[in-house]
Amino acid sequence: MALTVPLWTLLLLPLLSVPSWGDPMGSRAPLRYSRFLDPSDVMYLRWDFDPDAEVITFDLQVRTAGWVGLGITNRDTNVGADLVVGGVLPNGSIYFSDQHLVDDGTVEQDGSQDAHLQSLVQDSIYTTMRFSRPFRSCDPHDRDITDDTIRVIGAYGLSDQSDQMQLEAKRTFVKSIFLLQVIHPDQLDSPDISYIYDIEITDFLIPEEDTTYACTFLPLPMVKEKHHIYKFEPKLTYHNETMVHHILVYACGNASVLPTGISDCYGSDPAFSLCSQVVIGWAIGGTSYQFPDDVGISIGTPIDPQWVRLEIHYSNVHSLPGISDSSGIRVFFTPTLRKYDMGVLQLGVYTFPIHFLPPGAVSYGSYGLCQTDTFEEVNGSPLPELQVYAYLLHTHLAGRSVQAIQYRNGVQLRTICKDNAYDFNLQESRDMKDRVEIKVGDQLLVECDYQTLDRTSMTFGGPSTMNEMCLVFLFYFPRTTISSCMGYPGLVHVAREFGEEVSDSMEGLMAMSEVEWTEENIRKAERACREADQVVVIKTIDEVVTNRTGHIPAIAATMRGPCVASSGGKVEAQDQIPAGFRATPSSSGLARVSRLPPPLLAAILLLQGAALRLLDTSSLAACLPARD
């Protein structure tokens, strides 16, 4: 039967197909990134962004005939989260609104509407909402989209919104996602010839203990000429994923005498802690990682390592018995050579008990210094500038933020990498937007911020998940023999600030264990650790260790950029540009809809719903984008 559509509907549809203002991606443009937000795969999120326009586009597809919502929340509570809500009523009309949570389940509309609808459709299975928003609006109810870990909140209902919408816990999900990924794997070249090699442990019986570091030594692929490893991925035994905390692959010096078998990495046999130059690192929440097209790990030449130490950290918190594991790292290598041989430089706080955190701290900072002025001497040959292109951040459960800062000639140059919303369960290798050049003589400072409100005793640096670490792994080229450069504070100075006369760091640590940890003493300890001499420890692939001292430089605060003008938005006092809001950049031909008055725009959306209601279900389904 022929479909009859009124003339006014046909005239309206071309206008409705114009994308929302400020978004260079139209409502049918493909979006590169995707995740399921829930364990049952009911909520499927696609997204993409324009870093120049500072606009992000979301496409949320949910198996429901009711309302759907998507927004940004924080670590500890959903109260105050922003949430964009939309749906299609039974009569075909559309509702769409920028809102926020006033308590755990109740939403309220923002005074400023900063999300811009591109499409909102419903068929017999899915409700799909696509919208864009600026990275940073001037509405205090909207949370910023940054290059930190973002906690995305998704929610839905089985029916359409009522006068007072309520979120149900069983249909509300929060997932940590790094939204502003610089490189999508599809943008990278895959060589025509490649091989797979597994660096893995075999049938290891996981001890019935909270923390186990299992180490074994394995050969790298035996090749007769130079090859490059260009990609790696975790190889996890099914059902053991939650027990594998991290996996590290360390390159061994070719003169090293290595033990056989599997043993505790840091136990009674010191031979199992040999080899300290990390070449591959994976941690919980990470996935595969492919190096940029001009970078790879060199194997097969006389100066390349022939053996590696595989380290797997198991966390058997429930002391489960009889669990065997064969996890490891799968590497992909090719004879098609890349331009540069890469290396990994480990920075941060030297991991042992002198690194301590007081209990009951809302915030407590730890600092690890690297002085590079002796790098050429330690390396044994002149060094070119190191080009850093990616990084991996690592703390344990108390970590809240991590950053690495670069100084040159005593002046703070830049923040190399950071995550102000660090999530222990999302540790992944991340590419940098712009490569960073490190010169001999630069200072590199790692700052980690912790929260210990849930702890009644001191937390010490160490390998257990309940201990702490403060580490940054920088991926760089060209490679050197230097494996790590980390620092720790002299505790003699710290203890003396508390009136204790001690002669060495261990006595200082014992003295700190007797402190009553009030807020005043927490701040005093943090300040004393910053002011103390830093012992800087530099290691090479051949286990050559060099110690020196330095001092923690001051850290200048990073100013936030300007916010984007919005309907009724409020300027915040800490904005860099407190007046004269920056208008959202718009691409050619996309600015018309932004000038429509709000009542007219609302009328258009209602008319769009009426028009869609006239289309039969099969025609509508044919227009929907395919589900990945």
Side-chain angles (χ1 to χ4, degrees), residues 195-202 216-221 229 231-236 247 249 280 308 310 326-333:
Y195 308 97
I196 291 175
Y197 183 81
D198 291 336
I199 304 170
E200 61 186 348
I201 212 161
T202 303
T216 190
F217 295 86
L218 299 165
L220 284 170
I229 296 173
K231 178 182 176 180
F232 66 84
E233 64 185 23
K235 186 173 183 288
L236 304 177
I247 304 174
V249 177
I280 293 173
V308 295
L310 174 65
S326 297
S327 295
I329 293 288
R330 171 167 288 175
V331 299
F332 300 76
F333 63 101

Side-chain angles (χ1 to χ4, degrees), residues 45 75 120 146 150 223 259 323 379 411 491 517 587 610:
L45 176 66
R75 179 190 302 271
L120 186 46
T146 66
I150 301 295
V223 291
I323 297 179
N379 187 58
V411 177
L491 288 195
W517 289 111
S587 56

Side-chain angles (χ1 to χ4, degrees), residues 64-68 85-90 95 122 127 156-162 165-166 168 171:
T64 184
W67 62 269
V68 299
V85 176
V88 182
L89 293 172
Y95 55 95
Q122 189 176 94
T127 298
Y156 69 98
L158 299 181
S159 58
D160 290 298
Q161 91 181 98
S162 59
M165 180 182 294
Q166 290 288 324
E168 298 179 87
R171 296 188 184 91

